[in-house]
Amino acid sequence: MRISVFGLGYVGCVSAACLASMGHEVVGVDVNPAKVDLINDGHTPIVEERIGELVAQVAQEGMLRATTDAAGAVTDTELSLVCVGTPSAPNGSLSTTYLERVAEQIGRSLRPGHVVVFRSTMLPGTCAELLVPILELSSGLRAGMDFGVAVNPEFLREGTSVRDFFAPPKTVIGESDPVTGDVVAGLYEGLPGDVFRVPIAVAEMTKYVDNAFHALKIGFANEMGAICQALGLDSHHVMEVFLADRKLNISSAYLRPGFAFGGSCLPKDLRGLVYAARKADVSIPLLSHVLPANEAHLQRAFDLITAPGKRRIGMFGLSFKPGTDDLRESPLVELAERLLGKGYDLRIYDANVSLSRLVGVNRAYIAERLPHLGDVLGNSVEEVLDHAEVCVVGCADPPVLDALGRAGDRLIVDLVRIPDAEHHRGRKDYTGIGW
């Protein structure tokens, strides 16, 4: 395929050279003539492992050249790959100046059948709401009909970007239409890793999720290192044990949006660790804000439930997680306490919770937090459903899911993502807490 790559920085230069090495005819486009001259002379404008040899090879073979002529590059190619920067503005917002400029340049030379692929990092909605209108206005053509648009985020780390290109962790293609998606997927044919064909906004968001989590992991590891050092421990020994757990720690466990966490361990142990760090005079702003973040998520659920202005609330689930009657620090108990405190008419059903069976610290906890639990605890799903104007789904027990099918026009606030949540999304009588 004949490809034009806009922007010859780290992402653009690596993408251009690697695609050329795979047999594509590539022309790089940049406003900086010095970069253009370097590429045409077989030299790289960036310092990166293996890139020097790769650029020299593909330039000599005639598979890669560079130009400052954007119009000519678009006219001579079938697909344009946009790799320009999106730096932060002074207020932290995303600067789309370069993206807008390139979209207009491409649009002026766009012909039917051309495919425009954005690799630049941009927030969800940027492509559809900003860049596509610029392309359509400057070209007089329609996206998804006359030309294709895709978002194809890169997952290249500086220092190993060539290796990462040829061995990606995944390939994500946000497509305007299936034909365009097929064209973009063809660019990476033969490379390892899963390929995800998704809506454009999902592809835009994917890169932010990845980078935010990477930053979170680094911050977490560094704060743990500071605590360990203050306590006289070697943090690397501690983290070796942590990393060995591939079931709960380095895995997909817990990485699903849902309701707030609770129970007898997580809140207590976080408080204990934060206290130990404070006592050792160690600043850990990240860990110190985990519990406040959890509290904010619980408040988010309360706001969703109370927003419609209905007074009769039915809550399904009370224990801190399915399959147990443990109510200690359950976020659902906290939620029930807030609703009752604000005067809402609440009924609760949890198949695992019976007031007569609660014993020990579990009974003591609920006696302190919800002393009138017996007055609001329903005997059946149907009893709570009949009472409710708003159904709060805090568990996914089969009888509860069956009852929701008979909820009629009652508002459903889903805290667990019921199995058919995707079917309900967008309906006025359904709200998911994070989807």
Side-chain angles (χ1 to χ4, degrees), residues 73-115:
V74 175
T75 301
D76 292 343
T77 57
E78 306 158 86
L79 181 147
S80 295
L81 202 64
V82 180
C83 304
V84 297
T86 52
S88 291
N91 66 355
S93 65
L94 181 76
S95 174
T96 58
T97 301
Y98 303 133
L99 280 173
E100 294 173 54
R101 186 180 303 159
V102 167
E104 187 175 356
Q105 289 176 336
I106 293 173
R108 287 199 295 262
S109 303
L110 209 53
R111 298 291 183 270
H114 200 88
V115 173

Side-chain angles (χ1 to χ4, degrees), residues 27 37 52 72 89 99 120 125 153 218 283-284 303 318 366 398 402 413 435:
V27 53
D37 291 342
L99 280 173
S120 305
I218 293 168
S283 174
I284 50 168
D303 293 341
L318 190 62
I366 205 63
D402 290 343
V413 178
W435 45 86

Side-chain angles (χ1 to χ4, degrees), residues 11 95 129 167 177 313:
V11 174
S95 174
E129 298 168 18
D177 58 273
I313 312 296

Side-chain angles (χ1 to χ4, degrees), residues 223-381:
E223 287 196 358
M224 285 301 175
I227 295 172
C228 286
Q229 183 183 44
L231 298 178
L233 304 173
D234 185 340
S235 62
H236 281 244
H237 288 169
V238 173
M239 294 304 284
E240 283 173 12
V241 178
F242 171 83
L243 293 169
D245 184 344
R246 302 284 171 165
K247 182 177 181 180
L248 299 179
N249 292 347
I250 311 303
S251 71
S252 61
Y254 308 116
L255 287 173
R256 292 287 186 275
F259 194 34
F261 63 77
S264 60
C265 295
L266 299 188
K268 171 183 71 69
D269 293 346
L270 263 170
R271 281 192 291 266
L273 190 61
V274 170
Y275 173 80
R278 190 184 304 121
K279 186 178 178 182
D281 200 23
V282 174
S283 174
I284 50 168
L286 182 63
L287 289 169
S288 296
H289 283 82
V290 173
L291 285 171
N294 197 52
E295 158 68 23
H297 197 55
L298 197 152
Q299 182 63 37
R300 192 173 294 123
F302 179 86
D303 293 341
L304 289 175
I305 295 164
T306 58
K310 308 290 186 181
R311 303 303 299 180
R312 298 198 309 274
I313 312 296
M315 180 183 292
F316 301 95
L318 190 62
S319 61
F320 89 95
K321 70 176 183 178
T324 178
D325 68 346
D326 195 346
L327 302 175
R328 290 172 294 172
E329 300 216 39
S330 167
L332 291 169
V333 170
E334 174 67 23
L335 185 58
E337 184 180 22
R338 293 187 187 190
L339 290 167
L340 289 170
K342 292 294 184 179
Y344 287 88
D345 188 358
L346 179 66
R347 294 291 184 276
I348 303 170
Y349 177 76
D350 188 322
N352 295 311
V353 176
S354 170
L355 200 58
S356 63
R357 293 202 304 264
L358 294 177
V359 296
V361 292
N362 204 12
R363 186 177 184 87
Y365 179 80
I366 205 63
E368 177 186 348
R369 302 306 297 268
L370 283 179
H372 303 295
L373 177 62
D375 298 333
V376 298
L377 205 57
N379 294 315
S380 68
V381 171

